[in-house]
Amino acid sequence: MITLPPSPSFSLHNRRALVTGASSGIGLGIATALARAGAHVVCAARRENLLNALVQALHNEKLKAQACTLDISNVKDTEHTLNNLPPFDIVVNSAGMARHGPALLTQEDDFNQVVSANLKGAYFLSTLTAQRMIDHNIKGSIIHISSQMGHIGGTERAVYCATKHGVEGMIKAMAIEWGHHDIRINSIAPTFILTELTKSSLERPEIKEWVSSKIKLPRLGEVSDIMGAALYLASDAASMVTGTSILVDGGWTAG
């Protein structure tokens, strides 16, 4: 007689999740996915009006959500905000920025702004939320939205690549340190995802041709592709996954 193994659960009922960069695009999609899976989602970003609209839309589906204005590049403000909220079981960092251009023309202010948002902010959001998890004996999951550019190089993307490669290394080190606390930390590395922010760029013939030549599957990435990966990493289905990156890149880096 065969004993069938239990199926893993993707339910997030009775869990609290923080999603940064939730006001649009990938962050908004992930906040929606986690809320639909049963989590109480704190939707965080800098644009309060868009956050309020998102939370209202989630409430219209009878889902649990609240808005929180937050700029993760400001570490002191982030710490203050987190200390005034209950601890989280799930943290998804989708906040970030890019200022593309030739490496030889990089200005110091551009460098500092991108590093502050993409690497410094990600680093301290991780440590601050992980400490709360440890203090409250929470088996947590921390997820960073990285990029395929955290695994390869890209023209006119030297600073952006530097920050995303840094995030990937940071995740590996933190996974080693926090594993015995049963805290998992991973990344999702998307290719170009069609959003309102990227639409105008991806509609340019030369950009569309370049991206299409690199992605091996016959379409561009969509927000829903990232929603599934985030739900997996947030859930018990990924309870043995830490210190790694899920590449949602349509085969870009395989070639």
Side-chain angles (χ1 to χ4, degrees):
M1 183 176 179
I2 296 176
T3 301
L4 299 177
S7 296
S9 174
F10 290 88
S11 172
L12 301 180
H13 284 283
N14 299 318
R15 300 191 192 181
R16 288 179 50 80
L18 171 68
V19 179
T20 69
S23 58
S24 64
I26 290 172
L28 185 152
I30 291 172
T32 302
L34 301 189
R36 285 176 176 163
H40 177 113
V41 181
V42 175
C43 304
R46 292 177 296 178
R47 297 177 290 181
E48 185 176 7
N49 59 324
L50 295 179
L51 286 177
N52 291 334
L54 168 60
V55 169
Q56 184 58 57
L58 294 173
H59 286 171
N60 290 344
E61 288 195 16
K62 309 300 182 186
L63 303 175
K64 294 172 285 187
Q66 68 186 83
C68 173
T69 53
L70 183 67
D71 177 0
I72 66 167
S73 65
N74 189 321
V75 176
K76 287 186 177 180
D77 282 355
T78 299
E79 182 175 17
H80 176 76
T81 298
L82 293 174
N83 285 341
N84 284 283
L85 292 168
F88 294 100
D89 304 277
I90 302 157
V91 175
V92 183
N93 175 36
S94 186
M97 68 177 300
R99 292 186 179 177
H100 300 318
L104 293 177
L105 299 180
T106 301
Q107 300 297 308
E108 184 179 7
D109 181 64
D110 292 333
F111 181 93
N112 289 340
Q113 291 290 333
V114 176
V115 170
S116 183
N118 291 3
L119 186 55
K120 185 184 79 171
Y123 189 100
F124 286 102
L125 181 70
S126 299
T127 58
L128 290 168
T129 54
Q131 185 63 62
R132 301 289 301 283
M133 291 174 180
I134 293 168
D135 292 344
H136 291 83
N137 198 31
I138 292 172
K139 298 178 181 180
S141 175
I142 301 172
I143 305 163
H144 290 280
I145 304 304
S146 179
S147 170
Q148 64 186 16
M149 295 298 169
H151 299 266
I152 56 175
T155 302
E156 298 190 351
R157 284 163 169 78
V159 179
Y160 185 78
C161 286
T163 62
K164 295 303 184 179
H165 277 261
V167 166
E168 296 298 339
M170 173 196 87
I171 285 168
K172 289 177 172 61
M174 290 177 175
I176 294 168
E177 289 190 28
W178 301 339
H180 68 282
H181 293 292
D182 219 345
I183 294 172
R184 299 181 293 109
I185 180 167
N186 296 284
S187 78
I188 300 170
T191 186
F192 287 83
I193 302 297
L194 188 59
T195 66
E196 287 300 316
L197 195 63
T198 63
K199 186 178 180 180
S200 60
S201 178
L202 290 172
E203 285 178 344
R204 290 167 54 192
E206 68 275 18
I207 299 296
K208 186 175 182 180
E209 182 180 357
W210 172 58
V211 171
S212 297
S213 72
K214 292 291 189 178
I215 295 177
K216 307 307 183 288
L217 295 175
R219 65 176 177 87
L220 295 174
E222 299 176 359
V223 170
S224 58
D225 297 318
I226 312 305
M227 292 165 67
L231 178 57
Y232 168 68
L233 287 175
S235 74
D236 290 343
S239 61
M240 196 61 178
V241 180
T242 194
T244 194
S245 180
I246 295 181
L247 280 151
V248 186
D249 70 346
W252 184 306
T253 59

